[in-house]
Amino acid sequence: MRVVIAEDAVLLRAGVTRLLADEGIETAAAVDNGDDLLGAVKEHRPDLAIVDVRMPPTFTDEGLRAALAARKEVPGLPVLVLSQYVEESYAVELLSGGAGGVGYLLKERVADVADFLDAVRRVANGGTAIDPDVIAQLMARGRRNPLDALTARESEVLGLMAQGLSNTAIANSLVVSHGAVEKHIGNIFSKLGLEASAEEHRRVRAVLTYLGR
């Protein structure tokens, strides 16, 4: 796997590069601004871009904008965004493209090396990885009507889907059978009105509904 990192904090940029190297993951480029991120993505066509939301010159949303532009430049480019704080609009905007290969983690999660590397691999493989704190804050705004039809267990399963867990991982987490998880997910799709389509696409649409789109 080859990645491009865009992070203005030198120590974090170097730390992530080292963590990835220890796992045999090559960092094709490590930059500190959005313009250089776009250039690196065009040049290297990486398997994943790891991007800080806030970068020079204004430290507002340059990283996110660059990430969205990078996904247009390289359709389907997996992007894992890192943020210092939970910023709801950024999380939802990143996910609103309706495709997989996206993640949004708080920077503090990098310290949990196993979970961080799991998120890296999951997003690179086209899945999603959403920080539990991001989910909790978005849900604190109140659920919308489509979600009211879900049972408590279905809501729990959808919450784990939003974190990016596979069916097997959900089954292990809830200590239920794989078949039970598949049944719950089928019910979720039905209750949210998600008609038959590619499985991964429906999962992303379900997660978007859960996050309040």
Side-chain angles (χ1 to χ4, degrees), residues 111-182:
D112 190 330
V113 176
D115 284 352
F116 174 68
L117 292 173
D118 178 66
V120 165
R121 294 189 181 94
R122 191 187 309 156
V123 174
N125 288 327
T128 58
I130 311 300
D131 196 292
D133 285 352
V134 174
I135 294 172
Q137 184 158 318
L138 291 174
M139 290 304 296
R141 296 181 305 178
R143 291 182 176 176
R144 300 187 177 184
N145 289 336
L147 296 169
D148 291 340
L150 302 183
T151 65
R153 177 62 89 182
E154 288 163 358
S155 295
E156 193 173 10
V157 169
L158 184 51
L160 294 173
M161 288 170 60
Q163 293 182 40
L165 271 64
S166 66
N167 288 8
T168 299
I170 293 173
N172 292 338
S173 177
L174 299 179
V175 195
V176 298
S177 69
H178 192 277
V181 171
E182 290 184 337

Side-chain angles (χ1 to χ4, degrees), residues 165-207:
L165 271 64
S166 66
N167 288 8
T168 299
I170 293 173
N172 292 338
S173 177
L174 299 179
V175 195
V176 298
S177 69
H178 192 277
V181 171
E182 290 184 337
K183 180 178 179 180
H184 288 313
I185 292 175
N187 290 339
I188 290 167
F189 290 158
S190 177
K191 291 179 179 180
L192 296 184
L194 302 177
E195 299 179 358
S197 63
E199 175 75 11
E200 188 61 35
H201 183 58
R202 285 204 293 176
R203 289 177 80 94
V204 172
R205 289 169 61 198
V207 167

Side-chain angles (χ1 to χ4, degrees), residues 81-92:
V81 166
L82 302 179
S83 180
Q84 188 70 37
Y85 309 102
V86 177
E87 301 179 85
E88 299 176 16
S89 61
Y90 296 161
V92 174

Side-chain angles (χ1 to χ4, degrees), residues 45-57:
R45 302 280 166 160
D47 301 300
L48 173 71
I50 300 176
V51 185
D52 184 7
V53 167
R54 299 186 175 190
M55 289 195 293

Side-chain angles (χ1 to χ4, degrees), residues 7-9 32-35 52-60 62-63:
E7 166 60 60
D8 68 289
D32 63 1
N33 64 80
D35 290 341
D52 184 7
V53 167
R54 299 186 175 190
M55 289 195 293
T58 68
F59 294 95
T60 54
E62 287 87 354

